[in-house]
Amino acid sequence: MFRPGIPLPGSDAGREQPRPVEDAAAPTAAERVRTLVESSVSAALDIPSIRSQQDAPPGSGSPEARAVTPDGDVVLLVPAASPAAQLVEHAAGDEVTAVMEITDIAPVAVPHRVRGRAWIAGWLTPVRSKQRAACERLVADRHPAGPTPSDPAWTLLRLEVGEAFVDDLWGAEQVEPDDFAAAAPDPLAPHEAELLQHLAASHSEQMRGLCALLGDREAACAAAGGCAVPLSVDRFGMRVRFCGLEGFRNDAYFDARFEFPDPVGGVAQLRQAMRLLFETAAERPGSQ
């Protein structure tokens, strides 16, 4: 089913990220935060206790890798010499307040590439010796190409989640710690960047063919002759950004959400859903 994007409240159409209609099938806010936390997209730590320090080394506030424990705590891999690691080590058991901000940027070239942000506020504590082996395995399994968590140059910190908030393509919502702990990341998230890049590079004609499914916008989309770029994909469907004749230099664009008949559980099911979507568009009268 086609779902048109709508502009943010109070914004000029086409100037901000459009958001979908309310009844679109969507991941929950907790699932979206959990997906971002367990992804490899950019994250930064803001620790008020050291915010005023001017001699912090570059990148010291950016965890190199992260994972989520079964209890819903976030395990962070940071340089052992970083201000965050040093502060937690010398906190003498006191909890260190911190906020982790995650920025999600589209892996394809589109206007307004920032797809969303999530904030996780809570308390940092060291990972205790009896928990370290399990947390090391958790981080290594989630980020097999990253640094070795057992390397003395790195240390593990635990962020106990107090509250979370997400502001993304779906909207802005607060997430409770229990909901975050119970949520699961989207099954397509580990493959999303590669999938979107492949669709944009190797299936551009078929992507533009989706104009045939746009209803009232079909004629304008086909006449523009511009770009149709896959912006995001999750188990419920794919979001496409349609740009005007002048491509990405033109502020005139809109988003469309194409829902899958059933939620997909992996890449194999996604391929089947995409094949059906492209075939449906090609069979529409007037499609090329």
Side-chain angles (χ1 to χ4, degrees):
M1 180 183 296
F2 159 65
R3 304 280 189 175
I6 59 174
L8 292 172
S11 67
D12 295 332
R15 299 288 179 174
E16 299 290 345
Q17 296 278 24
R19 289 180 173 167
V21 292
E22 294 181 356
D23 62 340
T28 66
E31 290 170 337
R32 283 144 45 204
V33 173
R34 185 72 179 255
T35 297
L36 288 178
V37 169
E38 299 206 40
S39 72
S40 57
V41 300
S42 175
L45 271 179
D46 179 19
I47 303 175
S49 302
I50 58 176
R51 186 185 300 160
S52 61
Q53 294 184 10
Q54 300 300 316
D55 56 349
S60 61
S62 301
E64 186 68 20
R66 52 191 184 269
V68 181
T69 70
D71 295 331
D73 294 337
V74 183
V75 178
L76 306 174
L77 183 67
V78 301
S82 67
Q86 295 296 312
L87 178 64
V88 171
E89 181 181 351
H90 295 97
D94 293 338
E95 295 173 329
V96 175
T97 302
V99 178
M100 181 171 64
E101 179 178 349
I102 303 173
T103 303
D104 181 25
I105 299 176
V108 290
V110 287
H112 300 285
R113 288 186 65 186
V114 176
R115 301 187 297 187
R117 290 184 171 87
W119 294 264
I120 299 89
W123 304 272
L124 283 175
T125 57
V127 173
R128 304 301 178 186
S129 298
K130 63 180 181 179
Q131 304 165 334
R132 187 170 182 88
C135 289
E136 286 177 356
R137 287 194 299 271
L138 194 65
V139 172
D141 289 345
R142 180 62 61 183
H143 301 277
T148 303
S150 59
D151 187 329
W154 300 90
T155 192
L156 291 172
L157 303 179
R158 181 187 296 270
L159 176 62
E160 179 185 351
V161 178
E163 61 179 341
F165 190 84
V166 62
D167 186 358
D168 60 6
L169 297 170
W170 294 103
E173 297 181 64
Q174 188 167 346
V175 175
E176 295 299 323
D178 289 346
D179 294 332
F180 173 80
D186 190 89
L188 298 180
H191 316 285
E192 187 196 23
E194 182 180 357
L195 290 167
L196 295 179
Q197 291 165 358
H198 173 73
L199 286 170
S202 302
H203 297 275
S204 58
E205 290 299 324
Q206 289 170 298
M207 293 300 303
R208 281 194 292 270
L210 295 177
C211 286
L213 302 178
L214 296 184
D216 293 341
R217 284 178 168 174
E218 176 185 354
C221 175
C227 303
V229 184
L231 180 64
S232 66
V233 64
D234 55 64
R235 70 185 188 277
F236 294 109
M238 177 176 62
R239 183 180 175 108
V240 179
R241 184 152 291 172
F242 292 89
C243 305
L245 181 61
E246 296 183 23
F248 305 140
R249 293 170 296 177
N250 191 339
D251 284 338
Y253 68 87
F254 65 91
D255 283 5
R257 173 79 175 175
F258 298 92
E259 292 180 5
F260 302 140
D262 298 295
V264 301
V267 175
Q269 293 181 10
L270 174 66
R271 291 194 182 102
Q272 295 174 358
M274 292 301 303
R275 186 180 302 112
L276 177 61
L277 180 63
F278 289 148
E279 289 174 353
T280 301
E283 290 170 359
R284 288 296 177 94
S287 63
Q288 299 298 321

